[in-house]
Amino acid sequence: MKPHLAVDLEALNGCLLFAIPKKGRLHERCLQLLAGADIQFRKSNRLDVCLVLNHPIALVFLPASDIPSFVGNGNIDLGITGHDVVIEAKMQEKVTEVQRLGFGKCALQVQVPEHGPIKTAEDLAGKRVVTSFEVLAAEYFNKIDDQLSLVGDQRTKIQYIGGSVEAACSLGLADGIVDLVESGDTMRAAGLHAIATVLQTEAVLIKSNTPSRADHAPLINLIASRIAGVIAAEKYVVCSYNITRAALPQAIQITPGRRAPTISPLEESEWVDVSAMVEKKNCATVMDQLVKIGAVDILIYKLDNCRV
């Protein structure tokens, strides 16, 4: 089934279709990513599709759980969704994960009542498990059931519930659940704790393995390159400093850069200027280490955008 486009279909002729989560944990972050990649658009709240103003692209706003199927079946060329959703939709053979995006990180975990008798996933095997991730949960517990030689009615019972999974144990519907955990606040509020991790996941950019048009490949590569630049700019800063040539080998160990640092001579022949990309989360530690080996004039520059 194709999405309701709610625009003149002729306006979409030749456009690359790019699916974006219409709501939920990934939506706002995707909008920031599009802005950083200079993908300009104006969307009406009543429409699920809008044309990009500066590229032959139409953005299609869909539930994140639907995006892998639309991309995998060739209805949509490109999309952003969760890695977990791709596997849950059984679309990993029909789509290519172009890149991981570094946001929307969470874990799909097996959870049980904190003060209950179940301590491991093996303890939960053969009992009732409620989840919104029926495929992933079944794959996980099928392996455990096989290891424990459980057959027939002895095997784990997986029941699908679309929402409020964390309430299933307190309502007597399940002995344990499989659900996404980001901060863990919801899990703890429901009196649950995690006993196993099924999958680590994050947002991914995916493309169809059966694209509607071969001539979209350059535009797909352009979008992927821009998005990679935005992600790198958020992750890295540029560290610039002066260091003696004698201490340069130590400095390069501290700031190796993504490929290699840039080293420029100074008027004083025994000194050089070094510039390198370093991870933003490590920049304070890097500066401390540089000071210890005699670096001076250490500067950190933020990146608005880049190409890597």
Side-chain angles (χ1 to χ4, degrees):
M1 177 178 142
K2 293 190 176 182
H4 176 57
L5 298 178
V7 294
D8 181 2
L9 290 175
E10 289 188 8
L12 301 180
N13 283 342
C15 283
L16 181 141
L17 299 183
F18 188 178
I20 304 296
K22 66 186 300 182
K23 58 183 179 179
R25 62 190 176 93
L26 301 182
H27 174 73
E28 289 300 327
R29 192 64 186 78
C30 285
L31 296 185
Q32 295 171 12
L33 194 62
L34 295 177
D38 193 33
I39 296 175
Q40 303 171 17
F41 64 96
R42 284 192 290 269
K43 178 183 177 294
S44 166
N45 289 334
R46 293 173 293 179
L47 300 181
D48 287 337
V49 168
C50 66
L51 295 175
V52 170
L53 303 177
N54 57 338
H55 295 285
I57 300 171
L59 299 178
V60 186
F61 292 85
L62 296 168
S65 58
D66 292 343
I67 290 175
S69 296
F70 281 114
V71 174
N73 292 324
N75 304 116
I76 302 287
D77 303 292
L78 202 61
I80 294 176
T81 188
H83 171 66
D84 55 300
V85 179
V86 173
I87 300 174
E88 181 66 19
K90 298 182 178 179
M91 285 291 152
Q92 56 267 46
E93 300 299 324
K94 293 187 175 184
V95 306
T96 296
E97 290 191 3
V98 179
Q99 65 186 97
R100 300 220 168 183
L101 300 177
F103 61 87
K105 290 186 176 182
C106 50
L108 187 66
Q109 294 187 320
V110 181
Q111 303 164 34
V112 296
E114 189 169 9
H115 302 296
I118 298 172
K119 305 301 180 186
T120 67
E122 287 73 17
D123 292 340
L124 185 57
K127 297 180 172 60
R128 302 167 301 160
V129 175
V130 160
T131 184
S132 299
F133 293 86
E134 202 171 8
V135 171
L136 283 162
E139 287 179 357
Y140 182 80
F141 277 100
N142 281 342
K143 291 177 183 177
I144 295 177
D145 289 350
D146 289 343
Q147 291 169 2
L148 298 177
S149 301
L150 301 180
V151 296
D153 290 341
Q154 296 176 325
R155 296 179 73 84
T156 307
K157 292 84 179 169
I158 308 293
Q159 181 181 350
Y160 174 84
I161 288 182
S164 300
V165 174
E166 68 280 354
C169 292
S170 60
L171 294 174
L173 298 175
D175 300 294
I177 67 170
V178 174
D179 201 14
L180 287 176
V181 176
E182 192 167 5
S183 67
D185 291 344
T186 302
M187 174 181 66
R188 287 187 289 271
L192 304 172
H193 73 134
I195 57 173
T197 296
V198 177
L199 182 74
Q200 295 286 350
T201 185
E202 64 183 284
V204 291
L205 177 69
I206 60 174
K207 68 177 181 178
S208 177
N209 290 344
T210 54
S212 59
R213 295 171 55 129
D215 58 359
H216 281 156
L219 185 54
I220 289 174
N221 292 338
L222 175 67
I223 294 169
S225 174
R226 288 190 177 189
I227 288 175
V230 175
I231 297 299
E234 293 174 346
K235 184 178 180 181
Y236 291 93
V237 292
V238 174
C239 179
S240 173
Y241 57 93
N242 294 341
I243 191 77
T244 62
R245 290 185 183 276
L248 185 57
Q250 291 173 276
I252 292 174
Q253 291 294 316
I254 297 169
T255 60
R258 281 178 55 85
R259 190 179 303 275
T262 299
I263 302 170
S264 306
L266 296 178
E267 287 296 321
E268 289 189 53
S269 60
E270 294 305 312
W271 287 76
V272 292
D273 177 75
V274 180
S275 293
M277 292 175 70
V278 300
E279 287 195 57
K280 188 181 297 184
K281 65 182 181 181
N282 297 329
C283 68
T285 301
V286 166
M287 294 172 77
D288 294 339
Q289 293 173 336
L290 290 172
V291 168
K292 287 180 180 179
I293 64 168
V296 296
D297 301 331
I298 305 169
L299 305 175
I300 296 292
Y301 299 98
K302 291 183 179 179
L303 296 170
D304 289 329
N305 210 325
C306 64
R307 292 292 183 272
V308 293

